[in-house]
Amino acid sequence: MKVIVDQYAKIRDVKVGEKELSKAKETIKGHMALSFEDSMGVAQFYGFAELLENDIKTFESEIAKIDEVTSADVLRVAKRLIRGDKMSLAVVGPFKAGAEFEKILKI
């Protein structure tokens, strides 16, 4: 768990490299393209856009938005979302106290 928390802190504190960012973008775009291969995926894409944003966007415009994301954007959003006061953890098991886990969440 400590490794995961440390990775969150790294994402929050260090700009992601261009190579890693490019790989992430291509992965997201690939998943989007694959989701358009069946009618359910197409319906979900347009249905969610209409329901959540009250706006129908094209596949191409969403791909363009992904391409516009910069490492500075990722860092800015990570700093806003990855905060020590917002960290939580669910652990299942016979533990008497949660103090040992609370220490792990300090970033």
Side-chain angles (χ1 to χ4, degrees):
M1 287 185 285
K2 181 69 174 149
V3 172
I4 294 169
V5 171
D6 289 345
Q7 285 299 308
Y8 278 134
K10 183 178 176 183
I11 291 167
R12 180 198 61 196
D13 298 335
V14 180
K15 257 188 185 180
V16 65
E18 288 304 317
K19 184 176 178 182
E20 187 174 0
L21 180 61
S22 177
K23 183 177 176 182
K25 287 179 183 182
E26 293 305 314
T27 299
I28 292 168
K29 292 187 296 186
H31 283 277
M32 281 185 64
L34 288 174
S35 74
F36 266 65
E37 289 189 358
D38 66 49
S39 57
M40 176 67 85
V42 174
Q44 285 180 336
F45 177 82
Y46 290 113
F48 284 138
E50 176 66 27
L51 286 171
L52 300 176
E53 299 177 17
N54 199 28
D55 186 21
I56 300 294
K57 297 183 175 37
T58 66
F59 177 81
E60 292 78 14
S61 70
E62 292 300 294
I63 294 295
K65 282 186 191 176
I66 292 167
D67 286 334
E68 291 173 4
V69 173
T70 66
S71 57
D73 294 329
V74 174
L75 187 63
R76 177 180 44 80
V77 172
K79 285 184 181 298
R80 184 170 49 96
L81 296 178
I82 302 172
R83 300 178 8 206
D85 63 329
K86 297 293 183 184
M87 299 291 284
S88 62
L89 174 68
V91 180
V92 178
F95 303 104
K96 294 181 180 175
E100 62 186 282
F101 300 108
E102 289 176 11
K103 288 187 287 187
I104 293 172
L105 295 178
K106 302 281 188 236
I107 61 171

